[in-house]
Amino acid sequence: MSLTQADMAFARELFENIPDLTTRRMFGGMGIYCGSQIFALQLSDGRVMLKAAKGPFADRMKALGGEEWTYTRKNGAAASMPYWTLPDAYLDDPEEACALAREAMAALG
């Protein structure tokens, strides 16, 4: 599956108040950047995910109802990536989504 133009437009509009916002197609999805720093992904199924390494911000994402990106490796082992789904309430509120994205970037250093 690959993102539609409408999916990509939605993510760009959601984060349009992030300075120096750029996007790049990757692996059927899209990387979302502030300058050269990737802070979010949009997966090929349309889910928007914020980058959150282990620690306080990842804990906050979990408390807000976000889910960590997990997948199964070829050998059957479970693995996870440092990205969390953007909670549904934030998908309807660009101002809050951008505020949470700024928190993600601050946590990344």
Side-chain angles (χ1 to χ4, degrees), residues 4-98:
T4 67
Q5 290 297 320
D7 290 330
M8 292 184 292
F10 170 78
R12 288 183 189 113
E13 289 174 19
L14 186 65
F15 295 118
E16 71 184 354
N17 289 325
I18 298 294
D20 300 319
L21 183 72
T22 59
T23 59
R24 286 190 208 138
R25 297 285 311 244
M26 54 175 40
F27 310 114
M30 182 172 72
I32 305 170
Y33 298 78
C34 175
S36 62
Q37 182 182 42
I38 189 167
F39 69 90
L41 295 175
Q42 189 173 30
L43 300 183
S44 61
D45 62 7
R47 287 181 294 164
V48 177
M49 307 192 92
L50 290 181
K51 191 168 186 178
K54 300 282 185 216
F57 185 67
D59 295 342
R60 176 161 158 64
M61 289 297 294
K62 184 175 182 176
L64 290 171
E67 296 178 12
E68 189 173 19
W69 180 11
T70 58
Y71 64 97
T72 304
R73 295 178 186 226
K74 289 180 183 178
N75 67 4
S80 62
M81 297 290 288
Y83 289 89
W84 290 75
T85 56
L86 192 62
D88 289 345
Y90 291 80
L91 293 170
D92 295 327
D93 190 337
E95 186 175 314
E96 289 297 317
C98 286

